Amino acid sequence: MSVRLRYAPSPTGHLHIGGARTALFNYLFAKHHGGAFILRIEDTDLDRNVESAAQEFADNLRWLGIEWDEGAFSGGDYGPYVSTERLDIYRRHVDELRDKGMVYECYCSEDELAVQREELLARGEMVRYSGRCRHLSKEEREARIREGRKPTVRFRVMDDEPVAFTDLIRGDMIFEPQGIGGDFVVVKSNGIPVYNFAVVVDDHLMNITHVVRGEEHISNTPRQLLLFKAFGWTAPVFGHVPLILGADGKKLSKRDESIIQFIDQYREYGYLPEAIFNFLALLGWTPGGEREIFSRDELITAFGLNRVNRSGAFFDAAKLAWMNGHYLRNHSAEELLPLARRFLEPAVAGWQTPVNDAWMIEFIALYKDQVSCLSELPVVGSVLVSDSVSVEADARETLENEHASTVLDAFVKLAHAWTDWTPDGMKSLLKDVQTVTGKKGKELFFPVRAAITGRLHGPDLNRSLALLGRTRVLDRLGKALAVSGARPVL
RNA sequence: GGCCCCAUGGUCAAGCGGUUAAGACACCGCCCUUUCACGGCGGGAACAGGGGUUCGAAUCCCCUUGGGGUCACCA
């Protein structure tokens, strides 16, 4: 039988790196085994559902290159793929358990439950439901209904034997019946099933063979296993992946602002999906060996749950930045243009002469090797992209130096008549300046660079000059000359 | 607190009884370069502690310590 895995988020916010990583592991595992990857929306918590969140999940998953074979927003043979569209399915299954006497209505209020919980917690015991409504008589039930109480439906936990399963990542797991927490709620008082119930029904009906999810779900597993058993179904195989940790060493909280953790944010900063894909795959999993740059197909080929780590992993944004830079360097400026355009166009919006694609490609080529994301392009290249450039202290010092004025004066005079403003042309121009002034090396290049960019460091000077163009170069040289004072040699 | 999970450098991690304990990110130094960046070379930096088992433990077992997850009518 072919393998089927799913990613089943609840649409309560943005896709974050933890969720993306879970989706990715499911995807990689499914594809590795030639099986199906499914996207299901688990929206049983009506209060927390966020409009358009599901759509946003789908968009970001697609952007990352994590495509699903069936599921929400694309359909398939096992739909619907959204919990709230499956309510009647759940209802039928609750009825089935009720007929078997395996569930019962519970009329305890949330306040009453809270009091019991506090008591148990204070006593240091595992919180478990008392079973108070387990054996209510018909009269007692009717009395409660008359009080206006809306019941939940609880699953009757028979605490006679431990629940065990073999986790694909952690090995054998055994839960003593006491550790399950007593009869648990399966349908909320609003008639909507609880996640733990819905996933079981959905996973079975959708023929899910492997459930790969975060470690925080470990304690849910025995309850779900009990449900599978109650229905007489074969449970899927489980694999619990380690948590992604924040700087504090705790499970990454969506409210933790010390770290950028939403996929759409990385998208905004101009990260490449393939870099995030690669990075996330290696967070908590390793193919072994020393390599760490892998294409999507290579990851699919290499992936396996057996090499997933068991301990939590700190999310190292600096390494992601490095990896993204690596991918940037491996793309040509032409390839990057469509992605970089939205960052560059606003940056040059104030320019009198409109910049064309060729200009932007050359600009990208000049700077792409030193940035870690596309949004940094206009920042590192600000001296070429802005019309008001400040002169840094060391650059000013250079300009005030004696030979600077000599070089600049010669440059200006030659430049006025110069027609070839290409990088090669600029090379010849500088050569001529060298010939005329006798200055070379740093004495030649530093003053020119300082004059046109206001700083001593930057990318290739010839190309920078060509990009700036005649008008701007002449304009900036004029201003620089005012600083250094003319010492003509021509 | 109960239940459960985890433990190699600052971080990601290789290692599965015998290694000088890989590699990458970050950091530092040198080289390349007109400069910066890229790149190359080099450096500092780790097996939480204690008991076993064994000729021999980072590797296997136990305990301690530390960290984490979870205890909802949330997922």
Side-chain angles (χ1 to χ4, degrees), chain A residues 370-410:
Chain A
Q370 61 175 289
V371 297
S372 58
C373 58
L374 263 12
S375 63
E376 286 174 9
L377 244 23
V379 180
V380 296
S382 66
V383 290
L384 294 193
V385 118
S386 167
D387 269 334
S388 56
V389 174
S390 61
V391 180
E392 291 186 342
D394 53 356
R396 178 170 296 277
E397 219 172 284
T398 297
L399 288 176
E400 285 163 355
N401 202 302
E402 192 174 324
H403 57 254
S405 54
T406 311
V407 168
L408 296 185
D409 185 72

Side-chain angles (χ1 to χ4, degrees), chain A residues 237-250:
Chain A
V237 178
F238 293 92
H240 290 94
V241 306
L243 265 17
I244 294 180
L245 279 17
D248 55 359
K250 295 193 169 130

Side-chain angles (χ1 to χ4, degrees), chain A residues 13 66 88 96 127 141 179 224 314 340 343 359 412 431 434:
Chain A
I66 303 174
D88 54 324
E96 185 184 329
V127 176
R141 282 215 303 275
Q224 292 173 17
F314 172 77
F343 300 107
W359 191 93
V412 170
K431 197 84 187 158
Q434 181 184 329

Side-chain angles (χ1 to χ4, degrees), chain A residues 10-13 41-51 53 84:
Chain A
S10 63
T12 56
I41 302 298
E42 213 75 49
D43 60 346
T44 50
D45 188 344
L46 271 23
D47 298 332
R48 293 209 309 161
N49 286 341
V50 173
E51 177 123 26
T84 47

Side-chain angles (χ1 to χ4, degrees), chain A residues 109-125:
Chain A
S109 71
E110 292 195 60
D111 289 344
E112 291 164 344
L113 258 16
V115 171
Q116 290 177 35
R117 186 160 50 234
E118 292 310 316
E119 281 174 13
L120 287 166
L121 229 33
R123 240 185 295 151
E125 286 176 43

